[in-house]
Amino acid sequence: MLKLAFVHTLSIVVAAIGTAVLSVSSARAASPELTLSADQSHGESLPRKRHIGDVSYPTMWRMQQRVAALLPKNATLIAPVLRLSLKGMGQFDRTEFQPESWAVAIVGKTVDERVPMRRGGYFAVPALPQAQVRSEDAIVMFNARERKSWFDVGWDVRVPSGGTLAYTQFGQALAELKRAQDDMPWWDIMAIPEKNARFDALRACFTTDKGNILIAGEPAGKKLSPHCSLLTFDPQRLNGDPAIAFVGGLDFVTLDNAANYTVDTGDAL
C-alpha cells in the first residue's frame, strides 16, 4: 500500500483524497512541552513534546470528513475510521493491537482529550469546535515516541445493538463500499490504493478471547488471533439470509480482505 512522507505533503494528501497511508515520524521538534490531564490519560502523567509527525487537528478533521464524503448518500451500514499502526508490526500484531495506555490525543491551548481506540488500532477524530479555532493551535498527538507509525483508512460495519447482522446486510455493506470505490477518481494517485483494494470479508474483534462468529447458531468464523475472527462472504448464503451473530462481547467489526490472512495464524495463538 502507498506510503507518503508526512511533514510537508499532508496538504497535498487532503486535497486529493486522504485515503492513502500517511507516515508519521517520531522525531522530536523543539516546541513547548504539553501534558495530558490525569483523567484523560487514565491517571498517567504524560509530559510530552510535540513531534514532527503530530498532525494539526483541523487537517485531520478535514481529511476524515473528505473520506466520509466518498460514501453513497444512502449508505447506512458502513462508516470510515482511521487505523494506527506501528513500524515492525506483522498482520497478527496489527489485528490484536490495542494499547494499554493512550495512543492518540488531541491537545491544544485549552483542549486536552484522549481519543478512544478500538482493537486493531481503529479510532475516529471527534468533532471538537474549540479545536478548530486557529488560535487554539490544536494538534493530534500519537503516543509512539520511539517507533515510526502510520495510519490508513478502515471501514466500520454498523452492527445492530442486538449483536446480530442479517447475511443480506453483510452483502449490503460490501456493496456500499464498492459503490464508493467506483466513484473514486481513477486519475487521482492518492485514491488508487483504496479504489483498487479488495474487500470480501468482515473481521470481528471481541472484548474477550471467547468471542466467536456464528451463522444460524453454528461457528462460522476463522480465528485470526485471540480476540478476532474473520468471515468470508459467500453469495450462496444470501437466499437463506441466515443471521450472523457475534457472541462473546463484540468490540468492533470492519470490512476486510480474506487474502490478507492466507498464511495460517493458528500457531501464533
Side-chain angles (χ1 to χ4, degrees), residues 6 29 31-36 48-61 102 104-115 125-126 128 130-142:
F6 186 79
S31 325
E33 190 171 275
L34 300 173
T35 306
L36 288 173
R48 296 189 58 216
K49 292 183 178 180
R50 291 175 185 252
H51 291 61
I52 293 176
D54 293 335
V55 192
S56 79
Y57 172 85
T59 296
M60 282 285 287
W61 176 254
W102 66 279
V104 182
I106 299 169
V107 181
K109 292 180 179 177
T110 63
V111 175
D112 185 358
E113 181 160 332
R114 191 174 68 91
V115 179
V125 180
L128 299 175
Q130 181 60 26
Q132 295 279 11
V133 178
R134 185 181 182 89
S135 60
E136 180 68 26
D137 195 24
I139 60 173
V140 180
M141 282 185 165
F142 300 93

Side-chain angles (χ1 to χ4, degrees), residues 230-269:
L230 186 78
L231 180 65
T232 303
F233 183 70
D234 181 359
Q236 295 184 359
R237 286 189 174 268
L238 287 173
N239 290 335
D241 196 19
I244 304 171
F246 304 94
V247 298
L250 181 64
D251 183 17
F252 201 57
V253 178
T254 57
L255 295 180
D256 211 328
N257 178 7
N260 290 337
Y261 310 95
T262 52
V263 177
D264 184 10
T265 58
D267 293 340
L269 301 184

Side-chain angles (χ1 to χ4, degrees), residues 15-263:
I17 187 171
T19 57
V21 180
L22 299 181
S23 171
V24 182
S25 170
S26 62
R28 298 191 175 187
S31 325
E33 190 171 275
L34 300 173
T35 306
L36 288 173
S37 62
D39 62 326
Q40 292 295 339
S41 59
H42 289 186
E44 297 173 80
S45 177
L46 297 172
R48 296 189 58 216
K49 292 183 178 180
R50 291 175 185 252
H51 291 61
I52 293 176
D54 293 335
V55 192
S56 79
Y57 172 85
T59 296
M60 282 285 287
W61 176 254
R62 286 195 301 270
M63 183 171 62
Q64 183 173 273
Q65 293 302 100
R66 179 71 182 268
V67 177
L70 295 172
L71 288 176
K73 294 185 184 300
N74 60 350
T76 59
L77 284 172
I78 63 173
V81 287
L82 298 175
R83 186 182 194 186
L84 179 68
S85 298
L86 302 180
K87 183 180 180 180
M89 278 185 170
Q91 195 64 261
F92 177 86
D93 294 327
R94 291 191 77 206
T95 300
E96 276 289 296
F97 180 44
Q98 189 172 47
E100 294 181 3
S101 177
W102 66 279
V104 182
I106 299 169
V107 181
K109 292 180 179 177
T110 63
V111 175
D112 185 358
E113 181 160 332
R114 191 174 68 91
V115 179
M117 179 169 286
R118 314 296 288 271
R119 187 170 299 280
Y122 294 98
F123 69 98
V125 180
L128 299 175
Q130 181 60 26
Q132 295 279 11
V133 178
R134 185 181 182 89
S135 60
E136 180 68 26
D137 195 24
I139 60 173
V140 180
M141 282 185 165
F142 300 93
N143 188 17
R145 299 181 188 86
E146 307 301 331
R147 298 177 67 181
K148 191 172 184 179
S149 58
W150 74 92
F151 58 89
D152 52 19
V153 175
W155 301 97
D156 171 29
V157 179
R158 293 167 173 158
V159 177
S161 57
T164 300
L165 191 72
Y167 209 92
T168 51
Q169 291 178 305
F170 182 9
Q172 180 185 338
L174 290 169
E176 288 179 358
L177 182 50
K178 182 62 169 64
R179 289 199 298 273
Q181 289 176 302
D182 289 343
D183 289 341
M184 294 177 190
W186 61 266
W187 43 263
D188 192 331
I189 190 171
M190 302 302 175
I192 291 176
E194 200 67 27
K195 184 177 181 66
N196 294 334
R198 175 182 171 84
F199 296 91
D200 61 0
L202 60 77
R203 174 164 40 88
C205 291
F206 300 86
T207 56
T208 74
D209 59 5
K210 307 299 183 185
N212 202 357
I213 302 173
L214 307 180
I215 294 183
E218 297 295 327
K222 173 187 176 183
K223 198 80 167 176
L224 299 175
S225 68
H227 295 87
C228 302
S229 295
L230 186 78
L231 180 65
T232 303
F233 183 70
D234 181 359
Q236 295 184 359
R237 286 189 174 268
L238 287 173
N239 290 335
D241 196 19
I244 304 171
F246 304 94
V247 298
L250 181 64
D251 183 17
F252 201 57
V253 178
T254 57
L255 295 180
D256 211 328
N257 178 7
N260 290 337
Y261 310 95
T262 52
V263 177

